[in-house]
Amino acid sequence: MSERWKYQLKMGGFWGVFMTVFMTLFDLKEKPLMEQITSYNFYLRAVVYIAVGVFVLGYFNWKQMQKNKS
């Protein structure tokens, strides 16, 4: 696996998991935790956040890091 993909998975995956946890905690006033975790919407949101984190945020962070190196 290339260094770029390792970086994108690490940074984007962290952001995706962080956003999933943050949004779950933010919605605790409206729905209990177990109701959120057992819903289809929770898993769909988690997949979307992680995918956006890896492919979009990770890519732009990688490009910025390469630009700063040179």
Side-chain angles (χ1 to χ4, degrees):
M1 185 179 284
S2 71
E3 290 299 316
R4 182 183 126 203
W5 280 107
K6 288 179 187 177
Y7 181 82
Q8 282 184 236
L9 285 171
K10 183 171 47 172
M11 299 305 290
F14 174 74
W15 183 82
V17 170
F18 174 78
M19 286 302 294
T20 302
V21 169
F22 179 76
M23 293 304 292
T24 302
L25 293 176
F26 187 73
D27 289 340
L28 274 178
K29 292 180 181 177
E30 297 174 12
K31 291 187 207 173
L33 182 63
M34 288 306 294
E35 186 179 328
Q36 288 184 44
I37 292 175
T38 56
S39 73
Y40 172 76
N41 189 24
F42 172 79
Y43 294 104
L44 180 64
R45 188 181 340 170
V47 167
V48 169
Y49 279 135
I50 291 171
V52 167
V54 169
F55 292 110
V56 177
L57 188 70
Y59 176 76
F60 286 116
N61 282 346
W62 173 260
K63 286 293 189 184
Q64 187 66 36
M65 186 178 75
Q66 293 300 316
K67 187 178 176 182
N68 289 342
K69 277 186 178 180
S70 59

